[in-house]
Amino acid sequence: MSQGPLDPYAPPVVIERVPPSGERAEDAATRRGRWTAWVLTWVSYATYYLGRKGISVAKAPIMESLGKDVLRNVETAYLAAYMVGQTVNGLLGDRVGARRLVGVGMLVSAAACFAFSASSVGLAFLVAFLVNGFAQSSGWPGNAKAMAEWTTPENRGRVMGVWATCYQVGGIVATWFATFMLSLYGWRASFWGPAVLVALVGVLVLLFLKPGPDAVVVPVAGAGAAAMAEAAVVAETERAERSRVLRSLTVWSYGASYFGMKLIRYSILFWLPFYLTTALHYSKTGAGYMSISFEVGGVLGTIGMGALSDRYRRIPRSWFAAAWLVLLAVALFLYARLGSTGTATNFVVMAFVGAMLFGPDSLISGAAAQDAGGKYAAATAAGVVNGIGSIGAILQEHVTRGVSERYGWDKLFYVFVALAVFSAVCLFPTFRPRKA
């Protein structure tokens, strides 16, 4: 006997809304795309460091092998190309997209590193690292644009805080790998070994990185009159937004602050192994491994800063950065006084320096710059901030060498104290509450 609607023995009827297969597939695709983008861009920017760390780890062996003048101006040329490339690639990234900018940039960087490893003449070194500097500058604006498309203003600080560990972990792994290759095969291996990995990740980016939900979609030619009119509106909006970013007091204040931060960061990155070897008499490999303390502290500082800036959303991100920069000044003062008292103390205090520097460094160049650039100009804003900051990176060679040789290494750290305070002061014009 069939069961009627009032049959007490009939099973309960459960009405379930089944979404169309296209909707469910779209949600799953978005989740996969988000995690793919987050992981792939993290790996990408971490891998970029393999193409730049060899020069600091192998500096002393190169000078011993080829003469102390062979690397003259190589780092300056690299950083000058990197500075120009930040702005150029930032503007380019908002036009061609993150995938092509990052993928091609990594392949060119890999080729330049391989050419550097095969050189023995100062001019060849200079040209190879000039090209490498420009190629390396595609990494931050390109990956920052990709992450801007896959984050929101509500979760950006927290997500970027974790994501930005890529350049601390990348620095740690790159230093270890370059030191490992140096110890096994000599200084040339510190360049050709990383080049292989950089090229491999560049290919993966070209194959698998996709635009995010917040990406600007421009209709293609032949899509119809309405679509082409929409494309014209999008292009005009992009131009207006890039122009706004280039005139923004907030962006320029971020850049000025980043100038001081990047001068300090690149000086420590390029010179810490050399300082530990020549001033504190560590072995070459011991100095390479000990210098990892800087990035170890940086990982903790970056994650903490990002989470803090999202938790207290009404407070400007730059306020947190300025407070940590004041603590950076304290940390640098302590390192100048205590760094030579023992290996454990040196490691701990330099890790404290890394935490207080990388926290505001990642916030200002990452989430804060992305917020300032918005949907249409995130790469431009990140490129401008990084480009201005890279002026400090260029000057670090002259500041580090000039102060340390004339006044001693301890006085150099006091210069860094002043720069940390300067960077904090530069952020004052940006202290405006964020929108809820």
Side-chain angles (χ1 to χ4, degrees):
M1 183 176 68
S2 64
Q3 294 176 327
L6 299 179
D7 188 338
Y9 300 104
V13 178
V14 179
I15 300 175
E16 178 182 5
R17 177 184 178 272
V18 180
S21 59
E23 179 181 329
R24 179 173 293 171
E26 181 182 4
D27 291 343
T30 299
R31 286 193 296 271
R32 286 195 303 271
R34 179 183 301 113
W35 282 104
T36 298
W38 287 0
V39 171
L40 188 55
T41 54
W42 189 97
V43 171
S44 166
Y45 200 71
T47 306
Y48 267 93
Y49 271 74
L50 291 170
R52 67 180 72 170
K53 270 290 193 167
I55 194 70
S56 60
V57 169
K59 181 180 293 184
I62 292 174
M63 289 181 178
E64 288 180 1
S65 175
L66 303 177
K68 67 178 183 178
D69 294 330
V70 72
L71 290 181
R72 187 180 301 276
N73 298 323
V74 166
E75 287 177 356
T76 301
Y78 168 86
L79 292 169
Y82 189 85
M83 177 196 70
V84 174
Q86 284 285 342
T87 302
V88 173
N89 283 316
L91 293 166
L92 186 62
D94 283 321
R95 295 179 64 86
V96 305
R99 181 183 66 87
R100 283 184 285 181
L101 179 64
V102 174
V104 174
M106 295 191 81
L107 293 177
V108 174
S109 177
C113 287
F114 190 84
F116 192 94
S117 73
S119 303
S120 297
V121 180
L123 181 60
F125 283 138
L126 187 70
V127 172
F129 245 53
L130 190 72
V131 173
N132 191 35
F134 190 86
Q136 286 270 320
S137 70
S138 66
W140 189 259
N143 282 306
K145 178 177 178 60
M147 286 300 293
E149 294 174 356
W150 288 101
T151 57
T152 66
E154 291 73 28
N155 71 4
R156 184 164 292 147
R158 184 173 63 258
V159 173
M160 288 298 294
V162 175
W163 181 87
T165 60
C166 59
Y167 68 96
Q168 288 92 54
V169 175
I172 294 170
V173 173
T175 300
W176 170 83
F177 187 62
T179 304
F180 176 74
M181 295 297 286
L182 168 68
S183 65
L184 288 182
Y185 306 111
W187 68 263
R188 295 184 188 277
S190 297
F191 296 94
W192 62 254
V196 174
L197 298 178
V198 172
L200 174 62
V201 175
V203 171
L204 293 177
V205 169
L206 288 171
L207 291 176
F208 297 111
L209 183 61
K210 306 297 182 185
D214 205 30
V216 178
V217 179
V218 180
V220 297
M228 297 312 298
E230 180 185 350
V233 171
V234 170
E236 180 60 32
T237 303
E238 287 179 331
R239 285 192 293 270
E241 284 295 285
R242 288 194 292 268
S243 178
R244 176 189 63 80
V245 164
L246 294 175
R247 298 193 310 269
S248 170
L249 174 62
T250 295
V251 171
W252 284 89
S253 296
Y254 289 163
S257 178
Y258 206 45
F259 165 87
M261 285 187 268
K262 210 159 186 180
L263 195 158
I264 298 170
R265 178 159 67 91
Y266 268 72
S267 181
I268 294 175
L269 286 172
F270 280 163
W271 288 92
L272 184 56
F274 186 82
Y275 164 70
L276 293 172
T277 301
T278 59
L280 301 188
H281 309 296
Y282 286 69
S283 68
K284 292 171 186 174
T285 54
Y289 290 129
M290 178 62 69
S291 66
I292 290 173
S293 59
F294 183 50
E295 283 106 342
V296 168
V299 170
L300 301 176
T302 298
I303 294 173
M305 174 65 81
L308 197 64
S309 74
D310 267 359
R311 181 177 179 84
Y312 300 99
R313 284 197 40 78
R314 294 292 297 175
I315 300 175
R317 297 193 200 272
S318 55
W319 188 92
F320 293 107
W324 282 38
L325 285 166
V326 173
L327 293 176
L328 171 63
V330 175
L332 288 163
F333 179 81
L334 290 175
Y335 189 80
R337 303 298 296 270
L338 302 175
S340 60
T341 59
T343 55
T345 302
N346 188 293
F347 189 97
V348 171
V349 180
M350 181 50 69
F352 181 36
V353 170
M356 295 301 102
L357 175 57
F358 278 101
D361 184 293
S362 64
L363 187 69
I364 293 302
S365 65
Q370 289 168 330
D371 289 346
K375 176 178 181 178
Y376 293 93
T380 299
V384 169
V385 172
N386 247 296
I388 299 171
S390 293
I391 299 173
I394 294 172
L395 294 179
Q396 65 78 26
E397 172 78 18
H398 306 286
V399 171
T400 303
R401 191 185 296 274
V403 174
S404 64
E405 290 180 354
R406 178 170 295 186
Y407 302 107
W409 285 99
D410 58 331
K411 300 302 188 296
L412 176 66
F413 289 104
Y414 296 141
V415 171
F416 291 164
V417 169
L419 284 167
V421 174
F422 165 81
S423 292
V425 171
C426 287
L427 294 175
F428 286 3
T430 70
F431 288 178
R432 293 184 296 275
R434 284 181 279 169
K435 296 179 181 180

